[in-house]
């Protein structure tokens, strides 16, 4: 088998769908099907079972796919080591990032990165803090961008601090929250964010919200608030200067100071030695100048 065939099996296992895998590999579906048949013939066994629901690895296929993943991973690491020897920035920058950062802060940084280093590639995963940490522990990404203050023993660099606001199209003071029947719109989070908001709420109001709406994404929460459905608590990173149609009331902590939330860049020392990671750090520093 050639390396491209190992990669083909990894993509098929990831997508579990011939059409999606063909699109990702930039080949036609018939060509992909023919390549898979050729690979199965070389192994003298069926690797995937096809159905209307997609692809399912056979027991033998699971063993072959596991082997393929090891080959692909080792090949990528060797390429990174070789590329780190020359002066150009190549390779893939692998990032696991908090969704809120991926939507609001990271795009402008990555735009500068790909413009300055066109030979480099980017692999981006967004999700919750627990997912970011798992990707780092599993060594599937180089760096993580995480909200809050993570308990991390490796390299930890502070990126940004943003302020928390109660946001609404009608409410313009904290006192009005207890008077309104409008729902409190909240988004799910596995970080300390939810706990911080709960503590602030009970400290401020000593009661529970009259009505709540729970959504999965912070962007959904924001859009529902902007459209006047209810009020929400949002970090300043999600709010634009031109959001003039809404009131933004800063949340205060026990010392009567604005409540803030930090974002950190974390990873292992070995990852920060890679040229593509160093280049990314340089772009961040340039962005903040």
């Amino acid at each position: 088998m050639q390396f491209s065939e190992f990669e083909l099996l990894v993509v098929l296992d990831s997508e579990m769908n011939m059409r999606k895998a063909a699109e990702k590999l930039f080949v036609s579906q018939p060509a992909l099907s023919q390549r898979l048949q050729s690979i199965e013939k070389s192994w003298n066994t069926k690797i995937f079972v096809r159905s209307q629901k997609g692809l399912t690895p056979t027991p033998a296929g699971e063993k072959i796919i596991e082997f393929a993943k090891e080959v692909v991973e080792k090949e990528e690491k060797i390429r990174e080591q070789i590329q780190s020897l020359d002066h150009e920035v190549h390779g893939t920058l692998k990032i696991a990032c908090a969704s809120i950062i991926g939507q609001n802060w990271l795009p402008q940084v990555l735009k500068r990165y790909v413009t300055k280093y066109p030979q480099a590639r980017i692999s981006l995963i967004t999700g919750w803090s627990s997912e970011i940490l798992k990707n780092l522990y599993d060594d599937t990404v180089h760096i993580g961008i995480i909200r809050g203050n993570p308990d991390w023993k490796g390299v930890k660099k502070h990126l940004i601090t943003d302020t928390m606001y109660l946001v609404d199209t009608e409410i313009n003071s904290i006192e009005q929250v207890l008077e309104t029947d409008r729902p409190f719109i909240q988004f799910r989070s596995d970080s300390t964010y939810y706990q911080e908001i709960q503590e602030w709420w009970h400290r401020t109001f000593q009661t529970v919200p009259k009505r709540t709406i729970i959504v999965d994404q912070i962007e959904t929460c924001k859009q529902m608030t902007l459209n006047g459905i209810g009020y929400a608590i949002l970090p300043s990173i999600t709010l634009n200067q031109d959001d003039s149609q809404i009131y933004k009331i800063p949340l205060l902590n026990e010392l009567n100071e604005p409540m803030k939330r930090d974002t950190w860049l974390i990873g292992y020392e070995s990852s920060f030695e890679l040229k593509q990671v160093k280049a990314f750090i340089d772009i961040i520093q340039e962005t903040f100048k």
Side-chain angles (χ1 to χ4, degrees), residues 8 12 16-19 22 28-40 46-58:
L8 181 149
L12 281 171
M16 289 300 180
N17 181 284
M18 291 293 290
R19 179 183 58 80
S28 67
Q29 194 168 327
L32 178 60
S33 180
Q34 188 174 2
R35 287 283 298 278
L36 176 58
Q37 290 176 11
S38 176
I39 295 171
E40 289 178 329
K46 202 76 173 171
I47 298 177
F48 290 100
V49 174
R50 300 193 203 186
S51 68
Q52 291 183 342
K53 294 183 179 180
L55 299 174
T56 303
T58 64

Side-chain angles (χ1 to χ4, degrees), residues 91-103:
T92 302
L93 174 66
K94 301 176 184 178
I95 308 172
C97 176
S99 298
I100 186 174
I101 299 298
Q103 293 169 349

